[in-house]
Tab-separated table of all heavy atoms in Angstrom:
chain	number	residue	atom	x	y	z
C	68	GLU	N	39.033	120.864	216.552
C	68	GLU	CA	37.842	120.053	216.280
C	68	GLU	C	36.703	120.396	217.240
C	68	GLU	O	35.526	120.393	216.846
C	68	GLU	CB	38.183	118.562	216.398
C	68	GLU	CG	37.025	117.608	216.100
C	68	GLU	CD	36.531	117.673	214.670
C	68	GLU	OE1	37.208	118.299	213.822
C	68	GLU	OE2	35.458	117.102	214.395
C	71	ARG	N	35.075	123.455	215.917
C	71	ARG	CA	34.225	123.154	214.768
C	71	ARG	C	32.890	122.569	215.212
C	71	ARG	O	31.828	122.967	214.731
C	71	ARG	CB	34.922	122.172	213.826
C	71	ARG	CG	34.177	121.941	212.524
C	71	ARG	CD	34.781	120.800	211.743
C	71	ARG	NE	34.547	119.513	212.372
C	71	ARG	CZ	33.400	118.842	212.273
C	71	ARG	NH1	32.390	119.320	211.599
C	71	ARG	NH2	33.260	117.671	212.877
C	72	LEU	N	32.958	121.643	216.164
C	72	LEU	CA	31.721	121.037	216.663
C	72	LEU	C	30.851	122.062	217.364
C	72	LEU	O	29.626	122.072	217.210
C	72	LEU	CB	32.050	119.887	217.622
C	72	LEU	CG	32.690	118.641	216.994
C	72	LEU	CD1	33.042	117.644	218.084
C	72	LEU	CD2	31.774	118.014	215.969
C	74	THR	N	30.784	125.307	216.814
C	74	THR	CA	30.228	126.203	215.808
C	74	THR	C	29.065	125.548	215.099
C	74	THR	O	28.046	126.180	214.809
C	74	THR	CB	31.315	126.599	214.796
C	74	THR	OG1	32.392	127.226	215.486
C	74	THR	CG2	30.759	127.562	213.751
C	75	THR	N	29.200	124.262	214.789
C	75	THR	CA	28.123	123.533	214.141
C	75	THR	C	26.881	123.531	215.018
C	75	THR	O	25.762	123.759	214.549
C	75	THR	CB	28.549	122.077	213.856
C	75	THR	OG1	29.675	122.096	212.989
C	75	THR	CG2	27.422	121.294	213.199
C	76	TYR	N	27.065	123.303	216.310
C	76	TYR	CA	25.932	123.310	217.234
C	76	TYR	C	25.254	124.676	217.253
C	76	TYR	O	24.032	124.776	217.170
C	76	TYR	CB	26.380	122.937	218.640
C	76	TYR	CG	25.308	123.185	219.682
C	76	TYR	CD1	24.235	122.306	219.814
C	76	TYR	CD2	25.355	124.316	220.484
C	76	TYR	CE1	23.235	122.546	220.746
C	76	TYR	CE2	24.353	124.565	221.406
C	76	TYR	CZ	23.301	123.674	221.539
C	76	TYR	OH	22.314	123.931	222.438
C	79	VAL	N	23.288	125.285	214.004
C	79	VAL	CA	22.034	124.540	213.952
C	79	VAL	C	21.024	125.129	214.928
C	79	VAL	O	19.834	125.266	214.618
C	79	VAL	CB	22.274	123.043	214.250
C	79	VAL	CG1	20.949	122.312	214.431
C	79	VAL	CG2	23.090	122.416	213.136
C	82	LEU	N	19.741	128.288	213.442
C	82	LEU	CA	18.882	127.960	212.304
C	82	LEU	C	17.492	127.551	212.770
C	82	LEU	O	16.482	128.037	212.255
C	82	LEU	CB	19.531	126.836	211.484
C	82	LEU	CG	18.720	126.271	210.315
C	82	LEU	CD1	18.422	127.354	209.286
C	82	LEU	CD2	19.477	125.111	209.665
C	103	LEU	N	12.964	120.645	208.498
C	103	LEU	CA	14.178	121.445	208.381
C	103	LEU	C	15.350	120.483	208.510
C	103	LEU	O	15.431	119.733	209.492
C	103	LEU	CB	14.207	122.487	209.497
C	103	LEU	CG	15.312	123.541	209.487
C	103	LEU	CD1	15.118	124.491	208.311
C	103	LEU	CD2	15.297	124.322	210.799
C	104	GLY	N	16.243	120.477	207.514
C	104	GLY	CA	17.341	119.515	207.523
C	104	GLY	C	18.698	120.154	207.296
C	104	GLY	O	18.805	121.199	206.648
C	105	VAL	N	19.731	119.510	207.847
C	105	VAL	CA	21.119	119.950	207.650
C	105	VAL	C	21.968	118.741	207.271
C	105	VAL	O	21.596	117.596	207.522
C	105	VAL	CB	21.699	120.602	208.924
C	105	VAL	CG1	20.906	121.845	209.301
C	105	VAL	CG2	21.732	119.622	210.089
C	106	LEU	N	23.100	119.016	206.657
C	106	LEU	CA	24.029	117.948	206.283
C	106	LEU	C	24.635	117.322	207.528
C	106	LEU	O	25.086	118.019	208.431
C	106	LEU	CB	25.143	118.509	205.392
C	106	LEU	CG	26.253	117.539	204.994
C	106	LEU	CD1	25.701	116.434	204.100
C	106	LEU	CD2	27.388	118.283	204.294
C	107	HIS	N	24.665	115.979	207.561
C	107	HIS	CA	25.268	115.280	208.690
C	107	HIS	C	25.601	113.851	208.271
C	107	HIS	O	24.710	113.096	207.863
C	107	HIS	CB	24.315	115.244	209.887
C	107	HIS	CG	24.863	114.567	211.097
C	107	HIS	ND1	25.913	115.075	211.828
C	107	HIS	CD2	24.516	113.400	211.706
C	107	HIS	CE1	26.180	114.269	212.836
C	107	HIS	NE2	25.356	113.243	212.787
C	108	GLN	N	26.891	113.498	208.336
C	108	GLN	CA	27.340	112.125	208.098
C	108	GLN	C	26.752	111.525	206.819
C	108	GLN	O	26.092	110.493	206.832
C	108	GLN	CB	26.999	111.246	209.303
C	108	GLN	CG	27.757	111.632	210.553
C	108	GLN	CD	27.428	110.742	211.736
C	108	GLN	OE1	26.509	109.925	211.693
C	108	GLN	NE2	28.184	110.877	212.812
C	109	GLN	N	26.998	112.181	205.700
C	109	GLN	CA	26.570	111.722	204.380
C	109	GLN	C	25.059	111.552	204.267
C	109	GLN	O	24.557	110.716	203.522
C	109	GLN	CB	27.270	110.410	203.996
C	109	GLN	CG	28.777	110.563	203.798
C	109	GLN	CD	29.405	109.331	203.176
C	109	GLN	OE1	29.028	108.206	203.496
C	109	GLN	NE2	30.340	109.536	202.279
C	110	GLY	N	24.315	112.369	204.998
C	110	GLY	CA	22.868	112.326	204.911
C	110	GLY	C	22.276	113.638	205.367
C	110	GLY	O	22.983	114.626	205.594
C	111	VAL	N	20.965	113.670	205.486
C	111	VAL	CA	20.251	114.852	205.953
C	111	VAL	C	19.717	114.567	207.356
C	111	VAL	O	18.940	113.628	207.548
C	111	VAL	CB	19.071	115.205	205.021
C	111	VAL	CG1	18.386	116.474	205.498
C	111	VAL	CG2	19.538	115.344	203.583
C	112	LEU	N	20.135	115.366	208.310
C	112	LEU	CA	19.648	115.251	209.676
C	112	LEU	C	18.454	116.183	209.856
C	112	LEU	O	18.557	117.389	209.608
C	112	LEU	CB	20.750	115.621	210.673
C	112	LEU	CG	20.348	115.674	212.149
C	112	LEU	CD1	19.967	114.291	212.661
C	112	LEU	CD2	21.472	116.279	212.989
C	113	ILE	N	17.320	115.643	210.279
C	113	ILE	CA	16.140	116.463	210.522
C	113	ILE	C	16.278	117.124	211.889
C	113	ILE	O	16.323	116.452	212.916
C	113	ILE	CB	14.851	115.608	210.474
C	113	ILE	CG1	14.737	114.890	209.126
C	113	ILE	CG2	13.629	116.486	210.731
C	113	ILE	CD1	14.729	115.802	207.932
C	114	VAL	N	16.360	118.462	211.890
C	114	VAL	CA	16.566	119.201	213.140
C	114	VAL	C	15.293	119.900	213.608
C	114	VAL	O	15.247	120.411	214.731
C	114	VAL	CB	17.714	120.223	212.997
C	114	VAL	CG1	19.026	119.502	212.725
C	114	VAL	CG2	17.422	121.245	211.899
C	128	GLU	N	9.820	113.362	213.884
C	128	GLU	CA	11.000	112.804	213.212
C	128	GLU	C	12.263	113.619	213.430
C	128	GLU	O	13.225	113.478	212.669
C	128	GLU	CB	10.710	112.641	211.720
C	128	GLU	CG	9.620	111.629	211.429
C	128	GLU	CD	9.471	111.336	209.945
C	128	GLU	OE1	10.510	111.189	209.271
C	128	GLU	OE2	8.335	111.269	209.469
C	129	ILE	N	12.285	114.465	214.439
C	129	ILE	CA	13.519	115.184	214.758
C	129	ILE	C	14.599	114.170	215.135
C	129	ILE	O	14.375	113.288	215.948
C	129	ILE	CB	13.291	116.185	215.907
C	129	ILE	CG1	12.341	117.286	215.464
C	129	ILE	CG2	14.620	116.780	216.376
C	129	ILE	CD1	11.973	118.257	216.558
C	130	GLY	N	15.762	114.290	214.524
C	130	GLY	CA	16.854	113.346	214.751
C	130	GLY	C	16.916	112.243	213.724
C	130	GLY	O	17.895	111.494	213.679
C	131	ALA	N	15.899	112.142	212.871
C	131	ALA	CA	15.905	111.120	211.821
C	131	ALA	C	16.868	111.522	210.709
C	131	ALA	O	17.177	112.702	210.525
C	131	ALA	CB	14.504	110.928	211.257
C	132	MET	N	17.343	110.539	209.974
C	132	MET	CA	18.243	110.780	208.852
C	132	MET	C	17.530	110.465	207.544
C	132	MET	O	16.778	109.505	207.449
C	132	MET	CB	19.498	109.919	208.976
C	132	MET	CG	20.394	110.270	210.146
C	132	MET	SD	21.234	111.869	209.946
C	132	MET	CE	22.321	111.513	208.545
C	133	GLN	N	17.776	111.290	206.529
C	133	GLN	CA	17.255	111.058	205.186
C	133	GLN	C	18.419	111.012	204.200
C	133	GLN	O	19.446	111.658	204.420
C	133	GLN	CB	16.275	112.164	204.785
C	133	GLN	CG	14.998	112.200	205.594
C	133	GLN	CD	14.010	113.217	205.056
C	133	GLN	OE1	14.245	113.869	204.033
C	133	GLN	NE2	12.884	113.369	205.744
C	134	PRO	N	18.276	110.269	203.110
C	134	PRO	CA	19.363	110.193	202.118
C	134	PRO	C	19.530	111.489	201.332
C	134	PRO	O	18.569	112.253	201.157
C	134	PRO	CB	18.919	109.040	201.208
C	134	PRO	CG	17.443	108.954	201.387
C	134	PRO	CD	17.156	109.362	202.792
C	135	LEU	N	20.741	111.725	200.859
C	135	LEU	CA	21.037	112.925	200.089
C	135	LEU	C	20.522	112.838	198.657
C	135	LEU	O	20.082	113.845	198.094
C	135	LEU	CB	22.553	113.172	200.061
C	135	LEU	CG	23.214	113.742	201.312
C	135	LEU	CD1	24.723	113.702	201.171
C	135	LEU	CD2	22.747	115.169	201.571
C	136	HIS	N	20.574	111.657	198.063
C	136	HIS	CA	20.356	111.567	196.620
C	136	HIS	C	18.903	111.461	196.190
C	136	HIS	O	18.581	111.751	195.040
C	136	HIS	CB	21.124	110.369	196.051
C	136	HIS	CG	20.569	109.037	196.442
C	136	HIS	ND1	20.704	108.532	197.712
C	136	HIS	CD2	19.863	108.108	195.746
C	136	HIS	CE1	20.112	107.347	197.779
C	136	HIS	NE2	19.596	107.075	196.592
C	138	THR	N	15.915	112.435	198.358
C	138	THR	CA	14.936	113.316	198.992
C	138	THR	C	15.099	114.745	198.484
C	138	THR	O	16.178	115.150	198.043
C	138	THR	CB	15.101	113.317	200.522
C	138	THR	OG1	16.414	113.799	200.849
C	138	THR	CG2	14.914	111.915	201.090
C	140	LEU	N	15.071	117.471	200.333
C	140	LEU	CA	16.035	118.144	201.215
C	140	LEU	C	17.464	117.790	200.821
C	140	LEU	O	18.343	118.660	200.761
C	140	LEU	CB	15.784	117.735	202.673
C	140	LEU	CG	14.490	118.210	203.334
C	140	LEU	CD1	14.323	117.545	204.695
C	140	LEU	CD2	14.451	119.728	203.478
C	141	GLY	N	17.709	116.509	200.565
C	141	GLY	CA	19.047	116.056	200.214
C	141	GLY	C	19.525	116.608	198.889
C	141	GLY	O	20.693	116.985	198.734
C	142	LYS	N	18.638	116.670	197.907
C	142	LYS	CA	19.020	117.209	196.602
C	142	LYS	C	19.376	118.685	196.698
C	142	LYS	O	20.326	119.154	196.048
C	142	LYS	CB	17.881	117.012	195.602
C	142	LYS	CG	17.602	115.571	195.233
C	142	LYS	CD	16.406	115.524	194.299
C	142	LYS	CE	15.872	114.119	194.124
C	142	LYS	NZ	14.670	114.096	193.279
C	143	VAL	N	18.609	119.424	197.507
C	143	VAL	CA	18.905	120.842	197.690
C	143	VAL	C	20.293	121.022	198.301
C	143	VAL	O	21.101	121.834	197.831
C	143	VAL	CB	17.831	121.507	198.578
C	143	VAL	CG1	18.318	122.841	199.118
C	143	VAL	CG2	16.549	121.699	197.791
C	144	LEU	N	20.583	120.270	199.363
C	144	LEU	CA	21.896	120.372	199.988
C	144	LEU	C	22.996	119.962	199.015
C	144	LEU	O	24.048	120.605	198.939
C	144	LEU	CB	21.951	119.507	201.246
C	144	LEU	CG	21.066	119.970	202.409
C	144	LEU	CD1	21.089	118.939	203.541
C	144	LEU	CD2	21.514	121.324	202.930
C	145	SER	N	22.769	118.904	198.260
C	145	SER	CA	23.764	118.431	197.292
C	145	SER	C	23.991	119.433	196.175
C	145	SER	O	25.102	119.541	195.631
C	145	SER	CB	23.320	117.091	196.695
C	145	SER	OG	23.178	116.106	197.687
C	148	ASP	N	25.564	122.906	198.445
C	148	ASP	CA	26.674	122.739	199.388
C	148	ASP	C	27.726	121.821	198.772
C	148	ASP	O	27.457	120.643	198.533
C	148	ASP	CB	26.148	122.136	200.696
C	148	ASP	CG	27.217	122.043	201.769
C	148	ASP	OD1	28.421	122.069	201.428
C	148	ASP	OD2	26.860	121.919	202.950
C	149	PRO	N	28.944	122.334	198.493
C	149	PRO	CA	29.985	121.496	197.874
C	149	PRO	C	30.323	120.248	198.682
C	149	PRO	O	30.625	119.196	198.095
C	149	PRO	CB	31.190	122.440	197.787
C	149	PRO	CG	30.607	123.813	197.810
C	149	PRO	CD	29.388	123.726	198.686
C	150	VAL	N	30.288	120.354	200.008
C	150	VAL	CA	30.585	119.183	200.838
C	150	VAL	C	29.499	118.128	200.675
C	150	VAL	O	29.776	116.940	200.504
C	150	VAL	CB	30.732	119.584	202.323
C	150	VAL	CG1	30.953	118.337	203.190
C	150	VAL	CG2	31.878	120.564	202.499
C	151	ALA	N	28.245	118.572	200.714
C	151	ALA	CA	27.135	117.638	200.521
C	151	ALA	C	27.190	117.016	199.131
C	151	ALA	O	26.906	115.822	198.957
C	151	ALA	CB	25.806	118.362	200.714
C	152	HIS	N	27.572	117.815	198.150
C	152	HIS	CA	27.686	117.303	196.776
C	152	HIS	C	28.710	116.173	196.700
C	152	HIS	O	28.444	115.107	196.143
C	152	HIS	CB	28.082	118.453	195.840
C	152	HIS	CG	28.224	118.044	194.419
C	152	HIS	ND1	29.406	118.165	193.722
C	152	HIS	CD2	27.338	117.482	193.551
C	152	HIS	CE1	29.242	117.722	192.489
C	152	HIS	NE2	27.993	117.301	192.365
C	153	SER	N	29.874	116.395	197.297
C	153	SER	CA	30.918	115.361	197.295
C	153	SER	C	30.460	114.110	198.017
C	153	SER	O	30.704	112.983	197.549
C	153	SER	CB	32.192	115.903	197.959
C	153	SER	OG	32.717	116.992	197.235
C	154	GLU	N	29.780	114.277	199.140
C	154	GLU	CA	29.333	113.120	199.914
C	154	GLU	C	28.235	112.355	199.178
C	154	GLU	O	28.172	111.124	199.247
C	154	GLU	CB	28.861	113.566	201.296
C	154	GLU	CG	29.999	114.123	202.142
C	154	GLU	CD	29.631	114.298	203.603
C	154	GLU	OE1	28.449	114.093	203.943
C	154	GLU	OE2	30.528	114.634	204.387
C	155	ALA	N	27.385	113.074	198.456
C	155	ALA	CA	26.353	112.387	197.674
C	155	ALA	C	26.969	111.567	196.552
C	155	ALA	O	26.498	110.462	196.247
C	155	ALA	CB	25.369	113.410	197.104
C	158	SER	N	28.644	108.429	198.133
C	158	SER	CA	27.776	107.498	198.856
C	158	SER	C	27.184	106.437	197.936
C	158	SER	O	27.219	106.562	196.706
C	158	SER	CB	26.638	108.260	199.549
C	158	SER	OG	25.784	108.837	198.577
C	211	PRO	N	25.185	127.949	202.076
C	211	PRO	CA	24.048	127.076	202.391
C	211	PRO	C	24.232	126.417	203.753
C	211	PRO	O	25.263	125.808	204.020
C	211	PRO	CB	24.076	126.040	201.259
C	211	PRO	CG	25.515	126.019	200.805
C	211	PRO	CD	26.012	127.423	200.979
C	212	VAL	N	23.242	126.567	204.623
C	212	VAL	CA	23.343	125.995	205.966
C	212	VAL	C	22.250	124.975	206.243
C	212	VAL	O	22.254	124.333	207.294
C	212	VAL	CB	23.294	127.096	207.040
C	212	VAL	CG1	24.540	127.971	206.977
C	212	VAL	CG2	22.036	127.945	206.905
C	213	GLY	N	21.331	124.817	205.327
C	213	GLY	CA	20.253	123.853	205.535
C	213	GLY	C	19.235	123.934	204.421
C	213	GLY	O	19.419	124.641	203.427
C	214	ALA	N	18.169	123.201	204.598
C	214	ALA	CA	17.082	123.198	203.624
C	214	ALA	C	15.767	123.025	204.363
C	214	ALA	O	15.713	122.385	205.418
C	214	ALA	CB	17.267	122.072	202.607
Side-chain angles (χ1 to χ4, degrees):
E68 182 64 11
R71 187 190 70 80
L72 291 176
T74 302
T75 299
Y76 169 77
V79 170
L82 175 61
L103 187 68
V105 298
L106 176 66
H107 181 67
Q108 294 181 351
Q109 294 191 321
V111 183
L112 174 66
I113 303 302
V114 297
E128 295 188 43
I129 294 176
M132 293 290 294
Q133 294 186 3
L135 284 171
H136 70 287
T138 61
L140 292 172
K142 292 177 193 177
V143 163
L144 293 174
S145 300
D148 185 340
V150 176
H152 180 241
S153 297
E154 294 192 354
S158 66
V212 292

